[in-house]
Amino acid sequence: MSLSKTWDGAEPVRLNKFMGQSGICSRREADALIAEGLVSVDGEVVTDAGRKLQPGQTLTLNERATAALAEGVTIMLHKPVGYVSGQPEPGKVPAVRLLTGANRVGEGAVPAEDASLPPIGRLDEDSRGLLLLSSDGVVAKAVIGPESDLDKEYLVRIVGDVTEKKLKILRHGLMLDGRQLRPAYVSRMESHRLKFILREGRNRQIRRMCEMVDLEVVDLIRVRVGPLRLDNLPEGRWRMLTAGERAALVSPAAGG
């Protein structure tokens, strides 16, 4: 089964960088797949990893590419604040540094230092919670592919006056980067604590949504991705996804 993803940024981006940052695979894997002619842009096969994807263009991996990526592992990590999900800028610490034997919960080999485990979905440096790291292309497609309908649940502590009008706007009616957001489930848990359930993952989406209604996010934790829950996995610790959890995640009926 092929995998497609559309670039929704405002500026052109290199193919290998886009594939790495979007969680499809590592940049090294992207270079190899592109060189083998397994990647196309808007239906045209490309072999230059340095080619730039223009805003609105769609990148597609063919069946051979997704089959190769499926031969991998998936890790669930409770990411603390202060770690970045993907390829770090200078001075930033990537979340994969936490994948040590001392931080492991349960069975499973510790990934090699040069293992390719790109993040499957964003989780900002100043956010915490459930982060999936995977070399499994099928998992990537299930979580962040264009046809994915998996919801993600967040608990958010905010500063500001929460009104019913603001909650209504957050649930439906906001636009980011010139595009209408999909309806969100937003409920008040306490006076300054909200629950968000989203079916998309735009850049810093919840923080930007809150800013648009004069609310400031002071803490954000992702507690669920589809059927996977953070539960009691301690902060900074990780574990392997089980075969049953993977099957539930990639099932068409997967969800909350």
Side-chain angles (χ1 to χ4, degrees):
M1 187 178 295
S2 61
L3 184 156
S4 297
K5 191 168 180 62
T6 301
W7 171 231
D8 61 3
E11 301 292 335
V13 62
R14 288 169 61 98
L15 292 185
N16 56 3
K17 180 178 181 181
F18 171 67
M19 291 168 70
Q21 290 185 338
S22 61
I24 295 173
C25 60
S26 70
R27 292 196 193 187
R28 183 175 61 184
E29 288 173 323
D31 290 342
L33 294 174
I34 292 168
E36 292 180 40
L38 306 181
V39 178
S40 62
V41 173
D42 285 353
E44 174 193 353
V45 174
V46 294
T47 55
D48 176 14
R51 174 167 166 176
K52 291 191 174 181
L53 196 65
Q54 302 297 320
Q57 286 191 319
T58 298
L59 176 145
T60 299
L61 276 65
N62 69 18
E63 293 184 4
R64 279 181 56 203
T66 56
L69 292 177
E71 299 175 357
V73 299
T74 300
I75 285 171
M76 179 190 293
L77 169 69
H78 186 162
K79 187 191 86 67
V81 169
Y83 290 81
V84 295
S85 299
Q87 294 288 338
E89 300 295 329
K92 302 295 185 180
V93 183
V96 291
R97 296 271 184 87
L98 292 166
L99 304 184
T100 65
N103 290 336
R104 180 182 57 200
V105 173
E107 301 297 322
V110 176
E113 288 188 10
D114 61 349
S116 172
L117 286 168
I120 308 302
R122 299 183 180 102
L123 192 60
D124 301 322
E125 180 182 4
D126 47 2
S127 300
R128 57 194 179 97
L130 196 164
L131 176 66
L132 295 177
L133 300 162
S134 180
S135 57
D136 186 333
V138 176
V139 168
K141 182 174 183 179
V143 178
I144 59 174
E147 297 179 2
S148 173
D149 202 38
L150 285 184
D151 53 18
K152 291 87 176 176
E153 182 177 335
Y154 305 80
L155 303 182
V156 183
R157 191 169 297 278
I158 53 91
V159 171
D161 183 21
V162 180
T163 65
E164 284 303 315
K165 180 179 179 180
K166 290 181 180 181
L167 290 175
K168 183 177 181 180
I169 294 173
L170 288 171
R171 291 170 185 143
H172 188 72
L174 289 175
M175 295 185 69
L176 287 181
D177 304 320
R179 288 176 52 194
Q180 185 79 36
L181 293 175
R182 297 175 69 177
Y185 175 89
V186 185
S187 63
R188 189 202 306 258
M189 301 181 67
E190 301 168 7
S191 59
H192 288 88
R193 196 161 179 246
L194 304 177
K195 176 194 292 186
F196 280 74
I197 297 179
L198 306 180
R199 279 191 161 85
E200 59 188 330
R202 308 283 288 282
N203 186 31
R204 297 179 66 82
Q205 179 172 336
I206 291 176
R207 295 177 189 276
R208 294 167 68 195
M209 288 170 68
C210 288
E211 287 173 2
M212 295 174 76
V213 292
D214 296 319
L215 298 175
E216 179 188 359
V217 173
V218 294
D219 183 51
L220 186 155
I221 178 170
R222 181 161 61 201
V223 297
R224 181 173 62 81
V225 173
L228 303 179
R229 293 185 178 275
L230 190 63
D231 288 335
N232 58 352
L233 184 65
E235 190 169 295
R237 307 291 292 275
W238 64 275
R239 67 173 179 83
M240 291 289 187
L241 215 64
T242 68
E245 288 172 329
R246 181 188 183 277
L249 190 65
V250 302
S251 166

